Amino acid sequence: MSDLKRRTFFKLGLFGAAISLVKPSKAVEIISDASTKKFVIAPKKIVISTWNHGIAANRAAWEVLSSKGTALDAVEKGVKITESDMSNRSVGGGGRPDRSGHVTLDACIMDEKSRCGAVAYLEGIKHPISVARGVMDRTQHVMLVGDGARDFALDYEYEKIKTPIKEVKKDWKKWKKENKELFKKPEINHENHDTIGMLALDAFGNLSGACTTSGWAYKMPGRVGDSPIIGAGLFIDNEVGAACATGMGEAIIRIAGSHTVVELMRQGKSPEEACKLAVERIIAKHDDLTNLQCGFIALDKYGNYGGYSVYKGFNYALKTENRDEMVDAKYNRSWE
Ligand code: GLY
């Protein structure tokens, strides 16, 4: 049986009927099923991901989507590109450490069946996202943390990596010297702080997402942010849409950010409106917005997308059949 036959989309003989039946037609395309030679209506494949590093990650994800792969495989492959980039200081093994010099990695993944897996506080493994997928595929659990996550990764022979790398260690030592007074306080630095969150819709009409980060630079040992927390850093409901978050994890967790965005889409909000309302909820819950940058991106089941952040400066990468570019997210306020 071909992949296409397994799709759940409509099969119609007449183009006119097809177009009038599918209202959100912006987000579908008519394609020819190679095996049956019939025309079928498929959702338009799309992948979006946070920040500039999303461009390279989206391209890797697109290779999977355009060869009839699943959104789940696409998002895993996509964010692995960012995790492999040792010049990236906020994702993967090149990331900045916590205050005690340990690079601890957080990641989660979720698919169209609401299956999910996550790892937090994982050290010395190259692809936390694949370990998160391993937790989902190979265990009855959703999340493994710390030594347990590492033991699981080593048992299944996920690739190891030595952290921190030389440059990161040097920066950390300098930071320690210059920030003696901060050393015991949970202060944060938003500039060092971003995540790759990726959402994809495949040709079968299924959504998946992935999120991975080294977390807050020089965070307190033991700190875990939103990125590995299903419902905070990432949430998928295949009936509705998908959302993921970037920025100050503590604020995102407080409003169960990504779940909130998906629920707002369920109530009929567009992806951008849903992200905006979630950002406004964060703003309303915090008296002090100093350095409180958070952003969301969202994708609905028809392939409509959007993003929104507290402060100006958040952007996300978009890849479709015809587009491969950065999009500036709308925002609530400027930094000044
Ligand atoms: N959003 C990533 C973190 O707070 O760790």
Side-chain angles (χ1 to χ4, degrees), residues 188 190 248 286-293 311 333 335:
I188 47 104
H190 69 88
M248 191 188 282
H286 291 84
D287 296 331
D288 183 4
L289 295 176
T290 314
N291 284 347
L292 200 161
Q293 174 65 315
Y311 284 101
R333 61 195 61 211
W335 286 103

Side-chain angles (χ1 to χ4, degrees), residues 221-242:
R223 183 264 186 191
V224 171
D226 62 305
S227 299
I229 299 181
I230 297 295
L234 175 71
F235 194 68
I236 311 292
D237 185 329
N238 213 44
E239 308 273 297
V240 178

Side-chain angles (χ1 to χ4, degrees), residues 25-252:
S25 55
K26 256 196 340 199
V28 298
E29 59 189 343
I30 296 165
I31 61 165
S32 165
D33 180 333
S35 59
T36 63
K37 309 274 187 267
K38 282 186 182 156
F39 288 104
V40 291
I41 297 175
K44 271 194 183 157
K45 301 178 290 293
I46 175 169
V47 55
I48 55 175
S49 59
T50 55
W51 305 109
N52 290 319
H53 47 218
I55 288 279
N58 282 0
R59 287 178 189 158
W62 190 258
E63 279 175 23
V64 178
L65 294 180
S66 57
S67 49
K68 297 183 193 146
T70 64
L72 179 64
D73 287 339
V75 295
E76 182 186 0
K77 185 167 175 192
V79 303
K80 278 172 81 171
I81 296 292
T82 323
E83 288 180 341
S84 296
D85 176 3
M86 297 307 280
S87 69
N88 191 311
R89 294 286 171 264
S90 60
V91 178
R96 291 197 168 87
D98 66 16
R99 284 167 196 206
S100 61
H102 291 263
V103 179
T104 63
L105 305 174
D106 300 336
C108 73
I109 193 159
M110 189 164 190
D111 76 5
E112 78 281 0
K113 295 186 189 127
S114 298
R115 296 188 323 133
C116 46
V119 288
Y121 213 63
L122 173 65
E123 266 189 88
I125 300 292
K126 186 169 180 188
H127 290 301
I129 197 64
S130 298
V131 187
R133 180 155 181 192
V135 173
M136 174 174 101
D137 287 340
R138 295 171 147 153
T139 80
Q140 292 178 303
H141 305 309
V142 165
M143 182 184 257
L144 294 177
V145 306
D147 288 346
R150 186 173 157 81
D151 289 348
F152 169 81
L154 296 178
D155 282 352
Y156 282 99
E157 298 181 353
Y158 288 92
E159 196 177 337
K160 286 188 277 188
I161 193 171
K162 221 172 151 30
T163 60
I165 59 173
K166 225 166 65 197
E167 300 86 324
V168 168
K169 204 166 184 169
K170 208 169 124 207
D171 287 351
W172 168 65
K173 285 190 170 152
K174 186 165 171 278
W175 178 87
K176 241 178 32 157
K177 231 189 212 154
E178 289 168 359
N179 291 278
K180 277 199 184 98
E181 77 287 359
L182 284 187
F183 201 68
K184 290 200 172 81
K185 289 192 212 158
E187 307 253 337
I188 47 104
N189 177 355
H190 69 88
E191 283 170 21
N192 293 331
H193 186 235
D194 45 74
T195 305
I196 181 152
M198 175 179 280
L199 308 171
L201 175 66
D202 64 27
F204 310 105
N206 288 325
L207 291 160
S208 288
C211 192
T212 176
T213 187
S214 54
W216 216 302
Y218 313 128
K219 59 199 173 187
M220 293 181 83
R223 183 264 186 191
V224 171
D226 62 305
S227 299
I229 299 181
I230 297 295
L234 175 71
F235 194 68
I236 311 292
D237 185 329
N238 213 44
E239 308 273 297
V240 178
C244 62
T246 181
M248 191 188 282
E250 285 72 4
I252 295 160

Side-chain angles (χ1 to χ4, degrees), residues 303-318:
N304 302 304
Y305 60 89
Y308 203 87
S309 58
V310 176
Y311 284 101
K312 184 178 179 177
F314 172 46
N315 59 6
Y316 58 97
L318 164 70

